[in-house]
Amino acid sequence: MIIWLNGTFGAGKTTTAGELVKLVPEARIFDSEHVGYMLGHVQGLPELGDFQHWPPWRGLVVETASQLLGYLGGVLVIPQTVLVEQYWTEIRTGLEKAGIPVHHFVLHTDHDTLTHRIETDAVERQARQWRLDHLPDYRDALPWLGREAKVVDTTGIPPERVAQIVAAGAGTEITADE
């Protein structure tokens, strides 16, 4: 099974993923951005501004997730923003063809909270402006995201609770000590 955490930058995907692996037995984080970083070292790929625009990224995310689940079993938690509907459709369809159940969630928060989170992120300061510049893309994607995923409003909710909501929404068991 895959629990895909979508949403814009600063919505809490990475933090929620970390909390989910504490709650859900045999859950592991698969950061599909690393597939993009790997492809970035391949000479001859066109400069498109975002690794998601490379078709091999989408296919390799599907194949890597499939291989990992086949090897490790359990649950993969993928915290990855995908704001282009065609790209999400390719990924979802590929995972479905591989027989992998996907639970897709969009972590959403109000604009002021989101802007505050991005501007105060001390870990990835260099990405601040890029993230802020992509907020309109997220707003434009919200209609299709709302059709394709369960939207979880994270405004004012601690990450541990968001993880519980997502785990319950995916129908997963939660470890007894939580």
Side-chain angles (χ1 to χ4, degrees):
M1 167 194 313
I2 289 176
I3 298 175
W4 193 291
L5 301 176
N6 205 338
T8 194
F9 313 96
K13 296 179 304 297
T14 301
T15 304
T16 300
E19 294 298 326
L20 271 170
V21 298
K22 295 176 191 174
L23 288 177
V24 178
E26 297 186 21
R28 297 163 182 82
I29 296 173
F30 166 44
D31 187 346
S32 60
E33 283 193 16
H34 290 283
V35 174
Y37 301 151
M38 176 193 71
L39 288 172
H41 295 283
V42 176
Q43 293 179 350
L45 284 172
E47 292 289 330
L48 299 177
D50 186 333
F51 57 75
Q52 290 188 15
H53 298 319
W54 294 324
W57 177 79
R58 300 184 297 276
L60 286 170
V61 166
V62 169
E63 184 61 27
T64 305
S66 179
Q67 290 288 325
L68 286 170
L69 285 171
Y71 184 65
L72 298 170
V75 176
L76 285 184
V77 178
I78 305 178
Q80 179 68 58
T81 300
V82 178
L83 299 180
V84 177
E85 186 173 12
Q86 173 190 337
Y87 298 172
W88 172 251
T89 300
E90 288 177 37
I91 292 167
R92 179 182 39 79
T93 302
L95 294 168
E96 287 172 354
K97 285 181 181 177
I100 301 169
V102 178
H103 298 276
H104 185 199
F105 296 87
V106 173
L107 304 187
H108 179 80
T109 191
D110 67 68
H111 182 75
D112 291 341
T113 301
L114 187 58
T115 302
H116 175 75
R117 288 178 185 172
I118 293 170
E119 289 179 347
T120 59
D121 184 345
V123 176
E124 298 205 40
R125 287 186 187 148
Q126 73 283 2
R128 179 179 302 147
Q129 192 58 52
W130 191 86
R131 289 173 172 182
L132 291 169
D133 290 346
H134 282 77
L135 291 179
D137 295 334
Y138 172 67
R139 282 192 299 274
D140 291 346
L142 270 174
W144 77 261
L145 286 169
R147 290 189 308 271
E148 286 284 326
K150 297 174 188 170
V151 178
V152 178
D153 190 339
T154 66
T155 306
I157 300 175
E160 302 83 14
R161 180 66 187 129
V162 174
Q164 291 169 348
I165 293 167
V166 169
T172 60
E173 291 183 30
I174 297 177
T175 54
D177 59 335
E178 294 297 324

